Amino acid sequence: MWRASAAGRWPAVAPRLSVAHLVLALIAGLAQAASMAWPLSMEASWMARLSLQPGQPVWWLQLLALGVLAGLLDRCPGWRAAALTGWLFATAWLAGTFWWTFIALHIYGGLPAILGVLAVLALAGLLAVYYALVCGLFKALAGVNKSLSAIIFASLWLLAELARGRWFTGFGWGAAGYAHVDGPLAAFAPWMGLYGLCALSAWVAMTLAQGFLPATREPAGVRRPGWRRLLVVPLVLSLPLIHQLTQAPHTTATGTLAVTLLQGNIPQDEKFETGTGVPQALRWYGEQLQSSRTALVIAPETAIPVLPQQLPPDYWEALQQRFATGSQAALIGIPLGDANAGYTNSVVGLKPGQAEPWRYDKHHLVPFGEFIPPFFKWFTEMMNIPLGDFNRGPLGQAPFEWQGQRLAANICYEDLFSEELGVLFADPTQAPTIFANVSNLAWYGQSLAMDQHLQIARLRAKEFERPFLLATNTGVTAIVDHQGRVVSALARDTRAVLVGEVQGRTGTTPYAWWVARLGLWPLWLLAWGLVALAWVLHLRKR
């Protein structure tokens, strides 16, 4: 199955896979990327019938894309071919998901275009190694028991998603589960969370592929699952839907809170310029904070783009005085610190009756943006992005309490890490009733990053059955309810104010309960246990 080298002694690294096979792997990977947030806007009736709306997840496309990968793996001649197929699929999927990092690197960071493209492809290709490894291992283990192969594939896929989302600070953006904010699998979110959805979608995709694809030649004594096995898919998918129809929700309402969300739309190339963006931000956000009339007003990440000690005289004191009395409060994104103590990316909470302002310091920092990984200073020195090594805030910081609600702040992509948000649910009496995310996605221009970030917040809302408030510089600024539905949102790339109401929730979902106490260890152990069992069966057959 392998080409010999010129010397005729060593096997070639590249397997004999057809060009069509390789191209199909790339196309399937791009389709999986598109399933996270549909990238096209076209006036076509067939797109409407298929629920292909710009920026929206497409759950069936994700299953189709992963099902194509499953079919390709079934036809690979060996584990090396399967590893290459998985790597091509994952590289196309990940590059197609976060291609917009090129905008930050090149447009705003000043990195040469070719280096920006290479950086995106290198990151995608490096993260794709996880999926190459599990696809190769799946091919080695799949012949053990065809009836268990879908479970083995789901376990291995889960391990790859966990590794990408947790190791080396983690970057789980675009994980397969985010395509299932809507659709039949969404009902599992309050039970098993994002990574459970990743495993479940992999199991469904492999099961469907085995049922519909033509049978290939199997080793002697191995029986291929028949079409009857497909009947288990609708049965499993119906279980949470039946539960929802027959049981009460996991959470109950704690009252409503009137909120104002600010979207300043300060251009990213001017945001930190002292002659343009800084005075614009100080003037506009200052006016809105002073004139707001709702119980709570939220300004996005670094809405105040300079340190308090760098502000014009009396500016910060005037804001503190504004919310020192009355019945209103504010959450404001601002950097804090000094050269001696270090700096933090923070949210400050102002409300009547407090001795000191409440603060939240960002815990999960962005590599290259908020801290420089070892050995990469040469890379960051090539860019004009205002980089720095920020201090990390502690995990599980206390929520901001206001008018009977507990608001848990998170900054930028921190809402990507649900296991870290879940720590706040260890004590149900102190668990947040509302999540508030402040972000600045202007780094990524008018790209799908905004839509993808909205889907992330929607899935967090479903996992914990908590509403999400998103206050951003350029979008998407929105109110998401506890069922993951977008109640209201501002048009992106506009300077505007969103006024609305949010209903807080109390209570604990099954996912919130176990992730608060055990983290992601149950998923790690379950996946490794199933893979270990498959490996033992593999050794016994040799």
Side-chain angles (χ1 to χ4, degrees), residues 87-135:
W87 184 82
L88 290 173
F89 173 92
T91 299
W93 156 37
L94 298 176
T97 300
F98 51 70
W99 63 268
W100 36 259
T101 54
F102 170 82
I103 299 174
L105 296 174
H106 174 60
I107 303 298
Y108 298 118
L111 193 69
I114 185 63
L115 292 182
V117 171
L118 291 175
V120 173
L121 292 177
L123 177 60
L126 183 62
L127 295 175
V129 172
Y130 293 128
Y131 302 92
L133 292 174
V134 299
C135 287

Side-chain angles (χ1 to χ4, degrees), residues 1-16 80:
M1 302 299 296
W2 304 90
R3 298 186 183 93
S5 66
R9 290 177 295 180
W10 301 101
V13 175
R16 283 186 178 176
R80 291 180 179 86

Side-chain angles (χ1 to χ4, degrees), residues 379-401:
F379 181 74
T380 59
E381 288 177 346
M382 298 177 66
M383 295 182 288
N384 300 321
I385 295 176
L387 303 167
D389 275 329
F390 285 85
N391 293 337
R392 295 179 185 272
L395 187 63
Q397 297 171 61
F400 179 71
E401 298 189 24

Side-chain angles (χ1 to χ4, degrees), residues 71-366:
L72 293 175
L73 295 178
D74 188 60
R75 279 150 179 74
C76 286
W79 70 265
R80 291 180 179 86
L84 176 60
T85 301
W87 184 82
L88 290 173
F89 173 92
T91 299
W93 156 37
L94 298 176
T97 300
F98 51 70
W99 63 268
W100 36 259
T101 54
F102 170 82
I103 299 174
L105 296 174
H106 174 60
I107 303 298
Y108 298 118
L111 193 69
I114 185 63
L115 292 182
V117 171
L118 291 175
V120 173
L121 292 177
L123 177 60
L126 183 62
L127 295 175
V129 172
Y130 293 128
Y131 302 92
L133 292 174
V134 299
C135 287
L137 185 55
F138 167 74
K139 190 64 181 181
L141 299 176
V144 171
N145 188 318
K146 282 292 182 181
S147 298
L148 296 177
S149 61
I151 296 176
I152 296 171
F153 180 69
S155 301
L156 288 166
W157 194 265
L158 172 59
L159 289 175
E161 294 276 30
L162 285 168
R164 180 167 72 94
R166 293 303 304 162
W167 290 355
F168 307 111
T169 79
F171 189 54
W173 196 287
Y178 288 118
H180 298 281
V181 175
D182 301 312
L185 270 63
F188 285 90
W191 294 87
M192 58 179 59
L194 165 71
Y195 291 109
L197 293 182
C198 292
L200 185 57
S201 66
W203 173 80
V204 171
M206 180 58 75
T207 301
L208 293 174
Q210 289 179 336
F212 283 113
L213 293 176
T216 54
R217 183 177 298 175
E218 306 294 349
V222 176
R223 297 184 61 187
R224 185 182 184 87
W227 63 268
R228 295 178 182 82
R229 190 167 300 278
L230 294 175
L231 298 177
V232 75
V233 174
L235 175 62
V236 171
L237 298 186
S238 68
L239 293 179
L241 299 177
I242 294 173
H243 179 273
Q244 284 188 335
L245 293 174
T246 58
Q247 301 293 323
H250 301 107
T251 61
T252 57
T254 59
T256 60
L257 185 68
V259 296
T260 297
L261 309 179
L262 305 180
Q263 182 174 290
N265 197 38
I266 309 298
Q268 188 57 46
D269 54 356
E270 300 178 8
K271 182 172 173 61
F272 298 102
E273 295 295 328
T274 56
T276 53
V278 171
Q280 284 183 55
L282 296 183
R283 181 174 60 255
W284 191 81
Y285 284 113
E287 292 173 352
Q288 300 305 317
L289 288 165
Q290 291 288 345
S291 63
S292 171
R293 292 293 176 263
T294 58
L296 178 68
V297 56
I298 305 179
E301 179 184 11
T302 58
I304 307 297
V306 294
L307 298 165
Q309 58 267 33
Q310 297 173 321
L311 288 167
D314 301 329
Y315 185 96
W316 189 243
E317 290 76 7
L319 285 180
Q320 290 181 294
Q321 175 107 24
R322 163 69 177 83
F323 296 99
T325 59
S327 58
Q328 294 177 279
L331 294 174
I332 306 169
I334 184 173
L336 298 176
D338 55 48
N340 293 326
Y343 302 98
T344 58
N345 187 356
S346 302
V347 176
V348 168
L350 304 176
K351 66 178 181 178
Q354 60 183 6
E356 293 290 335
W358 175 90
R359 67 183 281 182
Y360 169 81
D361 298 330
K362 188 176 184 183
H363 168 75
H364 208 118
L365 303 178
V366 179

